[in-house]
Amino acid sequence: MANPGFRIYTKIDRPDRALVESFRGLPVANIGDTINRSFIFDARIRRVSKGSLLGTAFTVKTRAGDNLMFHKALQMAQPGDVVVVDAHGDCTTAITGELMMQDAARKGLAGIVIDGAIRDLASLREMELPIYAAGVTPAGPYKDGPGEINVPVSIGSVVVRPGDILVGDEDGIVVVRPGDAAETLEKARKKHAAEEATVKAIAAGTRDMAWIDKELKAKGCEFIDDVCP
């Protein structure tokens, strides 16, 4: 019998690991710029630990304040997966802490992203496992369900599907659809190379900034050679 809202899909399509690894080291900002500044989690979702995030999404949808399905997801997820938890952005109750995150690290997971709250912050800050969350509170969770695993979820205003590629650094997280990954990777590499060249030009004092006045004039900005009356 169907039970929408309380079910687990046991299989997902993961992209080729070599393709995922190709994004390692690329700044999230550069990747986001190449996909029209879309698919970027909003600023509520912040990194609370060490390490940069790179892996494939293993999604979880929980009831606010409940982590039963999150526990099951950690049991099911594979090395290289990023467990992504839609906890409805609720920060009144933490749905994970040090013990669960130690389990996740031991399994070789690539990271944890929670649109909700965590606790045991002092311990989590020292972990190499990349952990992102929307907030912190000492209040503990319930374990009643319902929830779903490996369905599309909403995290930080972005829809994440099982198998999506997630790249994260100190700025935040960007989602890359596997079907767009090869082209996005090429564009992001070019963007990153161009920015590195700009940094060198700034250091050398040779950066051309003439584009600013050109853009202003093209947009109709009025230049008045006088003081404001």
Side-chain angles (χ1 to χ4, degrees):
M1 180 173 63
N3 194 11
F6 203 8
R7 55 191 175 187
I8 295 170
Y9 290 90
T10 61
K11 297 179 181 179
I12 63 175
D13 290 326
R14 294 175 175 85
D16 182 77
R17 189 64 201 174
L19 176 61
V20 177
E21 283 295 324
S22 297
F23 284 90
R24 191 170 297 281
L26 286 174
V28 166
N30 289 164
I31 300 170
D33 283 353
T34 67
I35 50 178
N36 296 299
R37 297 175 174 85
S38 301
F39 310 106
I40 299 171
F41 292 171
D42 63 40
R44 295 182 301 106
I45 312 296
R46 304 303 305 163
R47 191 173 74 181
V48 300
S49 65
K50 302 177 181 179
S52 297
L53 181 80
L54 178 64
T56 52
F58 188 101
T59 64
V60 188
K61 189 174 182 66
T62 72
R63 181 173 63 84
D66 192 287
N67 71 359
L68 176 61
M69 297 300 269
F70 190 6
H71 274 282
K72 183 60 180 176
L74 291 181
Q75 185 183 67
M76 294 172 60
Q78 299 179 10
D81 286 343
V82 176
V83 176
V84 183
V85 186
D86 176 1
H88 301 277
D90 176 67
C91 289
T92 61
T93 305
I95 63 165
T96 194
E98 180 183 7
L99 300 181
M100 290 176 70
M101 295 300 92
Q102 291 289 353
D103 278 339
R106 180 189 57 80
K107 286 196 67 174
L109 301 188
I112 305 291
V113 182
I114 302 169
D115 198 345
I118 53 93
R119 63 179 181 178
D120 303 328
L121 180 60
S123 297
L124 269 52
R125 278 178 175 156
E126 300 305 314
M127 294 185 68
E128 296 296 332
L129 174 72
I131 303 167
Y132 290 74
V136 181
T137 178
Y142 301 95
K143 294 175 174 59
D144 301 317
E148 294 187 306
I149 291 177
N150 286 327
V151 298
V153 296
S154 177
I155 306 289
S157 303
V158 178
V159 173
V160 180
R161 298 177 176 87
D164 282 347
I165 300 170
L166 274 64
V167 189
D169 56 22
E170 285 187 311
D171 285 348
I173 299 173
V174 64
V175 180
V176 180
R177 308 294 186 212
D180 299 327
E183 185 174 356
T184 299
L185 175 64
E186 181 180 358
K187 290 180 179 179
R189 283 174 170 169
K190 290 180 179 178
K191 174 74 174 177
H192 186 45
E195 290 202 354
E196 287 184 324
T198 298
V199 169
K200 292 180 180 179
I202 292 172
T206 59
R207 187 183 185 191
D208 184 3
M209 303 299 291
W211 67 270
I212 299 175
D213 285 350
K214 182 179 178 181
E215 283 294 316
L216 289 171
K217 290 176 180 178
K219 296 178 186 299
C221 180
E222 183 181 10
F223 287 75
I224 301 170
D225 189 22
D226 203 348
V227 298
C228 179

